[in-house]
Amino acid sequence: MAILDILEYPDPRLRTQAQPVNVVDDSIRRLIADMLETMYEAPGIGLAASQVDVHLRIIVVDVSENRDEPHAFINPELTLIGESVEFEEGCLSIPGFYEPVSRAEGVRVRALDTAGDVIEQQFDGLLSACVQHENDHLDGKLFVDYLSVLKRSRIRKKLEKQQRLRA
Ligand code: GNR
Ligand code: NI
């Protein structure tokens, strides 16, 4: 197992369109184990492969209190359900910033599991928002894209400054 480095906004690699996984093999299962370890260590409630600079369609989530209900979805396909509701969102690639984002209240996810079998599950609440946030990463989309140009550019400038000071 390994803790992976998480890319930070405005790194252009976060804008990469992720590619479907062709075969669910041991290298994919190892990546998922490393993604879960990285998510728990961060700590976060979700992680997309895009955030660790692997541009494959894989997401992991765990919104449980005890951090013992991991979900991994390979090649997820989402069907949005219900009205839109606002969630306060953060992102491990945009550390320290939290803003409300409108998301569908429910989501149906069709995906492959770590055995390569097709699964279909439905979620609501925070898990629904988190799955939608992770799926956006796979298409190079970030929660700041839903904010005003002004808010987004303020966040970008603050992060760029932090990154300059760190370098
Ligand atoms: O840790 C995270 N918290 C969060 C809160 C509300 C909605 C989505 C998220 S996902 C985020 C981890 C992350 O950046 N995943 O891509
Ligand atoms: Ni994120």
Side-chain angles (χ1 to χ4, degrees):
M1 298 256 279
I3 306 285
L4 308 172
D5 283 335
I6 297 175
L7 299 177
E8 284 191 14
Y9 179 70
D11 192 310
R13 291 173 289 181
L14 286 167
R15 299 310 193 172
T16 310
Q17 178 75 22
Q19 297 303 308
V21 171
N22 287 320
V23 184
V24 180
D25 58 14
D26 284 344
S27 74
I28 296 295
R29 282 184 279 271
R30 200 170 316 125
L31 171 62
I32 287 170
D34 289 346
M35 286 173 62
L36 284 166
E37 191 180 10
T38 302
M39 175 188 77
Y40 288 129
E41 197 262 352
I45 59 170
L47 190 72
S50 317
Q51 293 177 278
V52 295
D53 204 21
V54 176
H55 301 287
L56 292 173
R57 303 190 76 81
I58 303 172
I59 67 176
V60 297
V61 298
D62 187 345
V63 301
S64 70
E65 195 95 352
N66 294 332
R67 318 287 285 151
D68 59 357
E69 292 173 32
H71 298 267
F73 299 114
I74 301 165
N75 300 342
E77 295 172 19
L78 273 51
T79 306
L80 306 182
I81 299 162
E83 305 281 287
S84 52
V85 286
E86 280 202 337
F87 283 93
E88 188 85 354
E89 294 200 11
C91 181
L92 295 172
S93 297
I94 310 171
F97 296 90
Y98 302 87
E99 295 288 345
V101 174
S102 276
R103 300 283 186 186
E105 61 186 354
V107 69
R108 202 164 175 81
V109 187
R110 189 183 160 85
L112 300 178
D113 65 12
T114 54
D117 295 324
V118 176
I119 50 169
E120 206 168 333
Q121 289 183 298
Q122 193 167 317
F123 304 113
D124 58 16
L126 183 58
L127 193 42
S128 165
C130 187
V131 166
Q132 293 174 63
H133 172 117
E134 303 315 332
N135 192 63
D136 274 353
H137 276 297
L138 303 182
D139 294 324
K141 195 167 174 93
L142 303 171
F143 86 80
V144 291
D145 300 341
Y146 297 103
L147 308 179
S148 67
V149 173
L150 181 62
K151 270 192 182 170
R152 183 164 58 251
S153 64
R154 279 187 183 140
I155 292 171
R156 179 173 46 74
K157 288 193 180 105
K158 286 182 188 163
L159 284 173
E160 281 172 337
K161 183 173 176 188
Q162 286 177 22
Q163 289 161 21
R164 249 184 285 120
L165 292 170
R166 227 185 298 145

